[in-house]
Structures are given as structure tokens and as C-alpha cells.
Amino acid sequence: MPPARLRRARAALAALAACLLPLAAPPAAWAAPAPAARADASGASDADAPPPLTDGFGLTQVGSATGTATNFVITVTTPKVAGPHTIRILLPADYAARPDKRYPVLYFLHGASDNPSDPALAYPALTAAQSMITVIPDGGLRGWYTDWLDQNTAAGAQNWETFHLTQVLPFVDANLRTRTDRAHRAVGGLSMGGFGALHYAQDRPDLFGQVLTMSGANDLSTDEMIIRGAVVATLTNVGTVLCGPSDGHPCGLDFGPTVSSDAIFGTPYPVFNADWRWNAADPVARAATLAHTGIAVYTGNGNNNPADMEFWAEGTAKRLKQRLDALGLPYRYVDYGDGTGWGADCHGGHTPGCWAQDLADYVPRLEAAFAAAP
């Protein structure tokens, strides 16, 4: 392709993807109850406060934890990823009362433009879980749950996989009463986090016995160039042209310092196999690594509207399903189409109303799988 045409194709693809990117944060109406006050002169009990956690594994806590004893946020720093990072932790109601009990853990990975400090990411099905811990670590506005190829961008250090798997995970195990075998540890996520969940489960099958992807970026191959374009759009910030006048809130299409389209996996453009790193990271191509992992895939159809990101997410889910079928691997696959019958707030789009119902369906199944594991 001539250079001029290639540049125009790049720009058009990135601009289209920017228009399709989700704002993944649930609406405030679904937020968890306001955190209880910490113990103080007013008489609030220490039992209402988050449990103390000890620094380690390269993580240093900044300030005090905020929230309740069972739903709280800590802020940490690490040389592996530039800036402070929040981690939300959800404990089952009986955690404090059962000091003899250990719990399985779900690591839940958020979507692009999200932050665990938002209480709405504690979806009702997660806070209602009776027998497991949920950890929601910061994945950055566009970290894409991987160690970036280029660590010398304006964004600074971006070693997200290292941060999560070699720092956050052992930090949680050291501080909380967790079950530490793979059969009692799961990773799941939505949108960008759906890719992250598959990526982590495939890179480290020794750590995770269950994986969940909801409306995920499940396919990075050239068969799904719109998904590549969405990743590129977060890096190059082309979507900021769609940001209106500031109303005091950050624009959901501003992902931080602009970096090169090549920053994470090298060039995304399929010219003479230059995009080989994207192909190597493609979850569909790597599906065989999930041979001994419980797999769950949820998607809608975006009402068959290409302007809805869920339309494209469904395509990646179908490709993953086809690959799993070809490999003969078992899985749970739910395509709720336009959302009819899938919760009161799901209409088939790339929206939190659908993800809330995904989790309402999935969490009891996950807890049952944990309970059945030896």
C-alpha cells in the first residue's frame, strides 16, 4: 500500500475506533453504599474500618484506606507503573468473624477509562458474593494489561502485567486469608479487561483456574482490525477531538499522554508480518493454553449496529467460541443479543446494565466451582 494511502487508512481506522470506545463505568445509581466512617471519637467501631495491610512485593501504600471493612480502596505506588494506583478489595461479610477461614479470589479487571476508585465498579453481584474475595486492581485508562514494548513514552513506566501478577497478587495473598492454589483463583474482566483476563490466564495458567471475559477484546488478529483500531485510539488519543467543553469531569476519550501506536505491541499494521507481536498476543490464537481452565464468555450484539462497540465485541466472542469448539474445549458461552430477558437494564449494548447481569449469572457459578474444587 502506498505510504499516503497507508497514513489515511491508519487515521480513518483510529478515528472510527475512537468513536466506538466505551465509557465502561457503571452509572452512579449502581454504586455501592457510602463507606462507613472509620473508628473515631464519634464512637464508630474499629470493625467498620478496612483491615490494615502491610507493604511488600514492591508496593508502597499511600495514605489511608478508604471505605468499609468489606469494601475498601487502597492506593499504592510501584516503580513498575508510573503514578499512584488504586485497588478496590471486596471481602465477604463473614471475613472478620471467621479468622480460621480462607477464601478463593476473583481478580476483576476493568475496562478502558475506568478506575477502581469509582464505587460503581463494585457491581451488586460482586458485593453480594458470600464465599469469595474480589480484587479490582487499577489497569490504567489504557494499560491493556500488558508490559508495554516501549517503556520510554510520555506515559512513563507501563509494566501492567508485572504489576498485577508479581506484585498485587502476592501482596493480596500475604495480607488476606486467601486460597492460593489455581483452583481457587479466577481472573475476569470486561471490555479491555476481558482481553486482560484472557491474556493473564493464557500467560499464567499456573495461577488461574477460571477465566471470564465479558464484551471483551478477545481477538487482536487482522480479522478484527476494528479492535486493533480501538487499542490504537487509546494510545494516540484521537478521540479527544470528540470531547466537548469541560464540565469539571475528565473526558472519557482522553487516555493520558499521547504515545505512539506502536507503544504496546509494536506496529499494528499488517505489512510483511511487522505486526507479529499483535498476532502473538491474540487470545483466539492462544486458546489452546486454556485447556485446563474453566472458561466463560458473555456478549451482546449491539443491536446489530456497527456504531455500538458491542457489535464488534460479539464478533470477537464468536471467533473465540469457534476456536474453542475446534479445540474441543468446554466453556460457558452466553450471547444475549439485544438484551431481551437479560436483566432490566441491558439492551444489548456495550453498557454496564448488561455487565451487571453477566455477573449476576456468573458469580454464583464461580462460587459453586470454587466450592467444588478440592
Side-chain angles (χ1 to χ4, degrees), residues 189-218:
L190 61 88
S191 195
M192 178 180 79
F195 164 78
L198 290 170
H199 184 65
Y200 287 176
Q202 291 173 332
D203 273 6
R204 294 297 304 273
D206 58 309
L207 293 179
F208 302 104
Q210 301 283 338
V211 63
L212 160 71
T213 175
M214 308 187 311
S215 305
N218 306 314

Side-chain angles (χ1 to χ4, degrees), residues 140-314:
L141 298 178
R142 42 83 190 276
W144 287 100
Y145 298 100
T146 192
D147 292 354
W148 288 20
L149 177 65
D150 187 354
Q151 295 291 322
N152 297 308
T153 72
Q158 299 289 300
N159 294 291
W160 293 99
E161 185 168 1
T162 295
F163 169 48
H164 292 139
L165 301 188
T166 71
Q167 295 186 309
V168 174
L169 192 151
F171 172 87
V172 168
D173 283 345
N175 278 285
L176 300 173
R177 298 192 310 276
T178 62
R179 301 284 297 269
T180 59
D181 58 301
R182 74 180 298 270
H184 292 93
R185 187 186 292 122
V187 60
L190 61 88
S191 195
M192 178 180 79
F195 164 78
L198 290 170
H199 184 65
Y200 287 176
Q202 291 173 332
D203 273 6
R204 294 297 304 273
D206 58 309
L207 293 179
F208 302 104
Q210 301 283 338
V211 63
L212 160 71
T213 175
M214 308 187 311
S215 305
N218 306 314
D219 190 338
L220 294 184
S221 74
T222 53
D223 293 315
E224 296 289 348
M225 287 300 288
I226 289 293
I227 301 301
R228 285 198 188 187
V231 178
V232 169
T234 64
L235 299 175
T236 59
N237 259 337
V238 296
T240 55
V241 299
L242 302 175
C243 294
S246 174
D247 59 357
H249 298 88
C251 173
L253 293 175
D254 185 350
F255 297 93
T258 297
V259 299
S260 165
S261 62
D262 302 357
I264 300 181
F265 300 118
T267 179
Y269 307 108
V271 180
F272 301 115
N273 201 36
D275 62 336
W276 66 270
R277 290 185 179 87
W278 289 79
N279 298 324
D282 173 26
V284 170
R286 304 177 67 204
T289 60
L290 301 175
H292 304 291
T293 302
I295 306 166
V297 183
Y298 291 79
T299 185
N301 66 11
N303 292 288
N304 296 313
N305 180 5
D308 190 316
M309 193 65 184
E310 196 68 16
F311 174 87
W312 304 100
E314 183 188 43

